[in-house]
Amino acid sequence: MDSELEAFIPLIPRADLSDPVTARKNLAGLSASVPAPDLSGTEVEDRAVPGDPAVPVRIYRPRGARGAVVWMHGGGWVMGDVDTEHPWASRIAESSGEVVISVGYRLAPEHPYPAALDDAYAVLSWAVEHAAEWGVDPERVAVGGHSAGAGLAAAVALRARDRQGPPVRFQLLNQPGLDDRQGTWSARQFTDTPWMTRDKITAAWRHYLGGAPATPYAAPSRAEDLSGLPPAYIATAEFCPNRDEGIAYALRLLQAGVPVELHQWAGTFHGSQALLSADVSRRQNAELGAALRRGLAG
């Protein structure tokens, strides 16, 4: 474990997803304690994207942006919204110089799969259709997210490919949750790792699937064919149950002919980039922005 991160482990609360309402309140409190970066050069606007129902989004527009990412927050499909994601979505906008469209998708268990995916896909379609309004090239729209949100982003890319829907330029997948089966070594072994554990992930999938069988659009690791998907940047954390499914997905994308950049961050745990005082966290956050900038260039 990275020594700077290890010092914080006794202070990290143990979230319990068996009580989603309390978990949401706790996440909101944690998020409120994280400072947002300087947004003096960024326009921030809340909108509602037409859908069934309408989807709340928060749009971050840095000056001179030419591309955009439809960004899905983490929280096990159970927690989070555009407010809790504000410190992170704003950082990606600031570090990448690109438009970030933070999606307030519907949460489980009240709204199980496919509600969140439908919301995210509606925002992608809207973003491509309206890109020119912000001076963004509609051919330079990416999808991305953290944890459960990264799994949603991967699912959106799969659906867009299969429906011949809006073009997706790039996938930015940070510590993605991709596989409900939890059969990898890291998923089996990491039962008491900081913040994210096997039991917590089991509860998250149970809430998200709502008793229905998983499909590739719910759990992208189940997709048999990954060819024709957009290039991807995938980041994993060493002490994270999701680690090996993220690495395996990266390898399968490569074997399907999809360009992939994979970064396994040594000494980190799931969500540890929120500990901004650690050098490795600063590097992780900066690289997410840099990877997005590279992915939308050209």
Side-chain angles (χ1 to χ4, degrees), residues 30-167:
L30 284 172
S31 180
S33 69
V34 179
D38 179 11
L39 292 174
S40 56
T42 302
E43 292 182 30
V44 182
E45 177 187 6
D46 287 339
R47 296 275 293 269
V49 170
D52 186 19
V55 186
V57 297
R58 183 166 295 167
I59 305 169
Y60 303 80
R61 288 201 296 264
R63 292 193 195 102
R66 294 296 310 280
V69 61
V70 176
W71 180 260
M72 273 64 76
H73 63 79
W77 304 283
V78 172
M79 305 177 287
D81 53 30
V82 296
D83 291 325
T84 62
E85 194 61 14
H86 179 69
W88 314 113
S90 56
R91 269 181 178 76
I92 292 170
E94 187 266 341
S95 60
S96 69
E98 308 291 1
V99 173
V100 174
I101 305 169
S102 181
V103 182
Y105 56 84
R106 286 172 287 172
L107 299 176
E110 297 90 339
H111 303 284
Y113 170 83
L117 177 60
D118 289 344
D119 290 351
Y121 192 79
V123 174
L124 171 66
S125 302
W126 176 84
V128 171
E129 183 180 344
H130 293 269
E133 294 178 17
W134 319 314
V136 165
D137 182 348
E139 298 289 329
R140 296 188 191 184
V141 177
V143 293
H146 171 69
S147 188
L152 269 178
V156 168
L158 281 166
R159 183 187 271 189
R161 180 200 65 178
D162 294 346
R163 290 187 177 181
Q164 297 182 316

Side-chain angles (χ1 to χ4, degrees), residues 272-291:
S272 63
Q273 72 273 8
L275 301 171
L276 296 173
S277 63
D279 175 70
V280 67
S281 299
R282 292 192 294 271
R283 289 190 286 117
Q284 284 177 284
N285 289 316
E287 186 166 296
L288 282 175

